């Protein structure tokens, strides 16, 4: 998703802005740009493609100055062209960078064009540049200009504006799109997230919705939507630079797959009280209020929700529905049996998930967030956070955050079940002991890279691939398919094994790869016959499961054996080979693994 940066301070800002943009690259983007101000001259460089393209341009034509803004763009309105890349400038007077969507841009553009403004891009963002140009042109100072522009625009946005008339100030604002302001004695830097600035300062303030601010090299003055000056809490960010390094791995994704044992043990610690009991960080009081749950999430987090539903229903006997966040609030959902909404989000910034949980709040539900980025908007808005402690996830495709989400969900299921009497102490302790072993079990799975490599050679030439699973392995099949398609661009779909005969079996033809997750429980045995039907029609069968489970399917061509684990934990352990399979296949195909085409890490537009 787009990422924005603004700097004002005592140092030349070109490298500072480029460094911060580089730290935002993980969000996914297709073009980038920078604008600085020096000696009354606005200098603008923009480029399509990776940041390296922009850097090459800047090497030939550097920019100078101690105030500037930068942007990485993920195209929404207007194609991927240099013209549409940010910053957008008007007459060399104003430059802006913007993340989000100005929803009423079409009518604003018409109005501005009627006044004689000439647009040079197809973006919604350019209206901001013209609005600022008009306001400053009318003699408004930065605060008044900001205030007035904000009365005109609608939508989700964060932006930074720079004006030649006010070379000592940056104008910034946010609504629903995140914005963090970092500062030290001699500089202020603003960016879409703290990852981009934590190497420069640990002192960070997050703007709230409808806040706007004027930044100088020595100050940041924040106003709320009522135009009152406000103080926002200063938090100490601790994004360790080492966590943002690839540490010798080929990709962040490879590193993050390997980080799962740590991510899971940190997450388990956060879910355990001083007596070692799983409490999910919830008081018994909160737990006893949970009588019906709606799980809200998008993408991979949604598949975690679907797996979580099986656990909560099975272990706690509490009814659960899972809702795709982008659909939820537009559907007038009826929440009669629900008491609690739990939103699951790695970034804590997905706008769909944010809107969904806000809607649940309006319906009167208690809101919890299973969130990885604890300083995020969702974390701040929910009643209670159940944190995943996966650490920064930079690869666009979610890996360690997913397995950490699963761990939180199973811990939560046990806690609710124990509290409402569905689970007795012995059973819950028994599962707890097994959960404590997951980090070492997953640690052993790292040698699967070698086993899976030859399978990825075969998969790379496939045009399509099916993933199957039953029961709680069905959502995992959907997640396996999502990983493969987003990384390797091979078409892939996940199905419930039992559904094959109701239609998808028509897709089976000679050599079609069918990846099937199996576990040792009864229901998986039923999946054997579904697979046999696929094999009989020429499918290339790849099985993922424990040795005992895999033994049921002696006709599979390739078998990926995971370390032994209780069937109830299979979705967590089997997620790892699915990630490795997608990773190695993408590696073979030579795709952009950490930033797959068209994708963004945190999706802050609807
Ligand atoms: C896929 C992936 C996405 C995210 C989705 C939600 O690998 O990472 O599908 O899961 O965009 O993002 P969060 O969890 O940040 O709300």
């Amino acid at each position: 998703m787009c990422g924005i940066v603004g700097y004002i301070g005592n140092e030349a800002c070109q490298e500072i802005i480029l460094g911060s943009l580089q730290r935002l690259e993980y969000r996914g983007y297709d073009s980038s740009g920078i604008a600085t101000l020096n000696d009354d001259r606005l200098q603008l460089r923009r480029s399509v493609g990776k940041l390296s393209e922009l850097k090459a341009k800047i090497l030939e034509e550097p920019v100078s100055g101690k105030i500037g803004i930068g942007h990485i763009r993920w195209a929404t309105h207007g194609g991927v062209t240099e013209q549409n890349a940010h910053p957008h400038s008007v007459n060399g007077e104003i430059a802006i960078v913007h993340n989000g969507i100005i929803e009423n841009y079409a009518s604003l553009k018409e109005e501005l064009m009627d006044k004689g403004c000439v647009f040079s891009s197809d973006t919604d963002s350019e209206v901001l540049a013209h609005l600022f140009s008009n306001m400053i042109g009318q003699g408004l100072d930065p605060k008044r200009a900001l205030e007035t522009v904000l009365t005109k625009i609608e939508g989700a946005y964060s932006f930074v504006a720079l004006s030649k008339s006010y070379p000592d100030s940056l104008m910034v604002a946010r609504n629903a799109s995140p914005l963090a302001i970092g500062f030290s004695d001699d500089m202020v830097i603003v960016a879409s997230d703290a990852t981009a600035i934590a190497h420069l300062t640990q002192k960070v303030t997050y703007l709230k919705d409808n806040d706007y601010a004027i930044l100088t090299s020595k100050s940041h003055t924040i106003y709320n939507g009522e135009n009152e000056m406000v103080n926002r809490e200063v938090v100490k960010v601790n994004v360790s630079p080492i966590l943002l390094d690839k540490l010798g791995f080929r990709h962040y994704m490879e590193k993050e797959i390997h980080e799962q044992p740590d991510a899971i043990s940190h997450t388990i610690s956060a879910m355990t009280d001083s007596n070692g009991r799983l409490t999910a960080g919830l008081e018994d009081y909160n737990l006893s209020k949970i009588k019906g749950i709606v799980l809200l999430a998008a993408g991979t987090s949604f598949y975690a929700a679907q797996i979580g539903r099986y656990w909560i229903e099975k272990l706690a006997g509490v009814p659960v529905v899972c809702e795709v966040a982008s659909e939820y609030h537009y559907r007038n959902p009826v929440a009669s049996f629900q008491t609690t909404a739990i939103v699951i989000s790695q970034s804590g910034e997905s706008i769909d998930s944010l809107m969904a949980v806000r809607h649940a709040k309006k319906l009167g539900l208690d809101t919890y967030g299973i969130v990885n980025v604890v300083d995020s908007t969702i974390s701040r808005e929910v009643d209670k956070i159940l944190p995943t402690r996966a650490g920064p996830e930079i690869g666009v495709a979610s890996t360690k955050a997913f397995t950490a989400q699963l761990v939180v969900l199973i811990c939560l299921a046990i806690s609710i079940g124990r509290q409402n009497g569905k689970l007795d102490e012995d059973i819950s302790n028994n599962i707890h002991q097994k959960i404590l072993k997951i980090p070492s079990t997953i640690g052993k799975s790292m040698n699967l890279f070698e086993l899976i490599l030859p399978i990825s050679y075969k998969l790379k030439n496939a045009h399509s691939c099916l993933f199957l699973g039953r029961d709680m392995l069905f959502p995992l099949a959907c997640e396996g398919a999502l990983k493969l398609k987003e990384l390797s661009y091979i078409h892939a779909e996940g199905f419930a094994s039992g559904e094959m005969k109701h239609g998808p079996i028509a897709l089976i033809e000679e050599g079609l790869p069918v990846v099937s997750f199996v576990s040792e429980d009864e229901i998986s045995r039923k999946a054997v016959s579904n697979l046999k039907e696929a094999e009989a029609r020429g499918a290339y069968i790849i099985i993922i499961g424990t040795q005992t489970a895999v033994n049921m399917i002696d006709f599979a061509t390739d078998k990926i054996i995971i370390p032994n684990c209780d069937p109830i934990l299979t979705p967590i352990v089997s997620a790892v080979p699915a990630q490795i399979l997608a990773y190695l296949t993408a590696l073979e195909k030579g795709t952009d693994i950490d930033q797959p085409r068209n994708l963004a890490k945190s999706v802050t537009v609807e």
Side-chain angles (χ1 to χ4, degrees):
M1 199 73 350
C2 301
I4 62 181
V5 177
Y7 171 90
I8 179 162
N10 286 346
E11 289 184 49
C13 65
Q14 173 185 294
E15 292 308 314
I16 295 173
I17 292 172
L18 287 175
S20 290
L21 288 179
Q22 198 161 349
R23 285 170 172 81
L24 290 175
E25 273 192 300
Y26 75 93
R27 294 164 72 92
Y29 68 106
D30 41 48
S31 53
S32 58
I34 184 169
T36 63
L37 196 55
N38 196 18
D39 286 340
D40 204 31
R41 204 160 56 89
L42 191 70
Q43 301 160 55
L44 178 70
R45 308 284 179 270
R46 299 183 294 186
S47 192
V48 166
K50 291 288 174 200
L51 210 48
S52 51
E53 307 289 333
L54 179 68
K55 286 181 181 169
K57 197 171 245 187
I58 285 177
L59 201 63
E60 278 177 24
E61 271 187 290
V63 291
S64 58
K66 295 175 181 174
I67 176 170
I69 57 181
H71 192 265
I72 52 169
R73 172 173 190 254
W74 185 79
T76 53
H77 290 70
V80 182
T81 63
E82 194 174 312
Q83 225 87 345
N84 289 337
H86 298 217
H88 290 288
S89 159
V90 176
N91 305 329
E93 294 283 337
I94 296 281
I96 64 99
V97 286
H98 164 232
N99 172 24
I101 290 177
I102 308 293
E103 286 171 4
N104 58 337
Y105 85 98
S107 55
L108 287 172
K109 187 168 176 175
E110 218 175 283
E111 260 174 52
L112 288 159
M113 284 168 74
D114 285 348
K115 285 187 188 154
C117 295
V118 178
F119 279 73
S120 56
S121 79
D122 306 318
T123 66
D124 53 326
S125 311
E126 197 184 342
V127 295
L128 274 175
H130 287 281
L131 286 172
F132 272 106
S133 173
N134 276 0
M135 299 309 145
I136 303 273
Q138 287 169 31
L140 301 191
D141 65 18
K143 177 177 180 289
R144 288 281 298 136
L146 251 175
E147 214 180 291
T148 318
V149 168
L150 291 175
T151 59
K152 296 186 181 293
I153 58 174
E154 288 163 19
Y157 52 77
S158 56
F159 63 77
V160 189
L162 173 67
S163 163
K164 213 165 86 172
S165 309
Y166 295 96
D168 300 321
S169 312
L170 287 174
M171 296 165 271
V172 307
R174 83 153 261 175
N175 181 38
S177 291
L179 204 57
I181 300 174
F183 53 95
S184 64
D185 290 343
D186 52 10
M187 65 109 201
V188 176
I189 184 158
V190 59
S192 295
D193 66 50
T195 326
I197 55 184
H199 61 297
L200 298 171
T201 176
Q202 290 196 313
K203 283 193 271 181
V204 168
T205 292
Y206 292 93
L207 292 191
K208 294 196 168 178
D209 275 355
N210 302 314
D211 279 357
Y212 60 97
I214 305 293
L215 317 182
T216 71
S217 62
K218 298 268 180 239
S219 67
H220 56 282
T221 313
I222 305 174
Y223 303 88
N224 65 14
E226 272 75 54
N227 302 317
E228 299 156 344
M229 203 189 293
V230 284
N231 284 321
R232 297 288 178 223
E233 189 190 358
V234 177
V235 293
K236 188 167 178 257
V237 294
N238 48 14
V239 187
S240 154
I242 195 121
L243 289 173
L244 301 179
D245 204 295
K246 282 193 214 140
L247 299 178
F249 289 98
R250 291 166 288 187
H251 298 92
Y252 282 113
M253 183 183 180
E254 187 186 26
K255 173 179 171 246
E256 286 157 6
I257 290 172
H258 282 84
E259 282 172 346
Q260 288 180 104
D262 271 357
I264 290 171
S265 47
H266 291 151
T267 301
I268 296 171
S269 308
M271 303 290 293
T272 311
D273 71 12
S274 52
N275 300 318
R277 281 167 37 123
L278 289 174
T279 62
L282 294 166
E283 312 304 324
D284 282 353
Y285 166 76
N286 295 111
L287 292 173
S288 63
K289 278 176 63 188
I290 300 178
K291 305 284 184 223
I293 298 175
V294 56
L295 294 174
L296 306 166
T300 289
S301 299
F302 178 70
Y303 296 129
Q306 286 193 315
I307 294 169
R309 170 170 62 186
Y310 284 85
W311 284 325
I312 297 171
E313 290 183 344
K314 191 182 178 100
L315 302 174
V318 168
V320 179
V321 293
C322 296
E323 296 271 7
V324 170
S326 56
E327 289 292 316
Y328 178 66
H329 60 296
Y330 290 114
R331 227 196 52 231
N332 297 323
V334 176
S336 47
F337 77 90
Q338 291 156 0
T339 53
T340 314
I342 303 179
V343 58
I344 306 175
S345 175
Q346 186 288 127
S347 60
E349 299 295 352
S350 294
I351 191 95
D352 292 327
S353 305
L354 176 63
M355 298 297 194
V357 78
R358 282 181 180 169
H359 189 75
K361 206 169 229 183
K362 270 197 212 138
L363 294 178
L365 304 186
D366 291 336
T367 56
Y368 298 120
I370 298 177
V371 183
N372 196 40
V373 180
V374 285
D375 298 323
S376 59
T377 309
I378 290 178
S379 298
R380 287 192 294 273
E381 293 204 9
V382 291
D383 300 331
K384 177 108 195 155
I385 319 178
L386 310 178
T388 49
R389 301 274 188 212
E393 191 178 67
I394 305 298
V396 163
S398 187
T399 51
K400 59 178 181 169
F402 174 68
T403 45
Q405 288 166 347
L406 293 180
V407 166
V408 171
L409 284 161
I410 192 163
C411 292
L412 178 65
I414 294 168
S415 304
I416 303 172
R418 202 178 47 206
Q419 210 282 334
N420 69 15
K422 167 101 166 112
L423 271 189
D424 68 28
E425 281 295 303
D426 283 353
I427 299 179
S428 65
N429 285 340
N430 183 285
I431 306 177
H432 181 194
Q433 290 312 313
K434 288 174 178 159
I435 290 174
L436 292 177
K437 293 199 181 112
I438 299 176
S440 70
T441 310
I442 286 197
K444 287 185 209 144
S445 303
M446 294 309 148
N447 57 23
L448 290 176
F449 273 84
E450 225 170 286
L451 178 75
I452 295 175
L453 190 62
I455 303 176
S456 69
Y457 295 154
K458 297 189 227 172
L459 216 56
K460 78 165 186 199
N461 295 318
H463 295 297
S464 185
C465 182
L466 302 188
F467 284 73
L468 305 181
R470 281 196 94 126
D471 198 58
M472 57 185 84
L473 294 179
F474 162 44
L476 183 64
C478 298
E479 165 60 7
L482 176 62
K483 283 285 96 87
L484 186 71
K485 72 181 114 176
E486 66 184 341
L487 290 165
S488 70
Y489 315 147
I490 295 171
H491 171 255
E493 295 300 333
F495 293 108
S497 313
E499 272 294 289
M500 283 299 284
K501 56 187 178 294
H502 296 291
I505 198 165
L507 295 170
I508 303 280
E509 55 188 16
E510 195 62 37
L512 179 86
V514 174
V515 181
S516 182
F517 296 94
V518 285
S519 89
E520 295 171 25
D521 58 11
E522 261 320 294
I523 187 116
S524 266
R525 288 179 203 282
K526 292 187 195 267
V528 178
S529 50
N530 306 139
L531 271 181
K532 193 76 201 150
E533 288 150 15
E535 192 250 359
R537 288 160 179 81
Y540 156 36
I541 309 282
I542 304 161
I543 286 293
I544 301 179
T546 59
Q547 183 71 65
T548 316
V550 162
N551 283 348
M552 297 187 292
I553 299 148
D554 52 3
F555 52 85
T557 310
D558 282 310
K559 299 173 181 178
I560 301 174
I561 316 283
I562 59 164
N564 278 334
C565 64
D566 190 283
I568 202 159
L569 301 177
T570 313
I572 308 176
V573 181
S574 286
V576 178
Q579 296 163 353
I580 298 174
L581 184 65
Y583 174 76
L584 291 175
T585 307
L587 196 66
E588 280 306 306
K589 291 198 73 174
T591 56
D592 190 347
I593 291 182
D594 282 332
Q595 289 154 27
R597 70 182 181 205
N598 306 337
L599 296 185
K601 183 69 185 160
S602 91
V603 183
T604 50
V605 290
E606 269 196 271

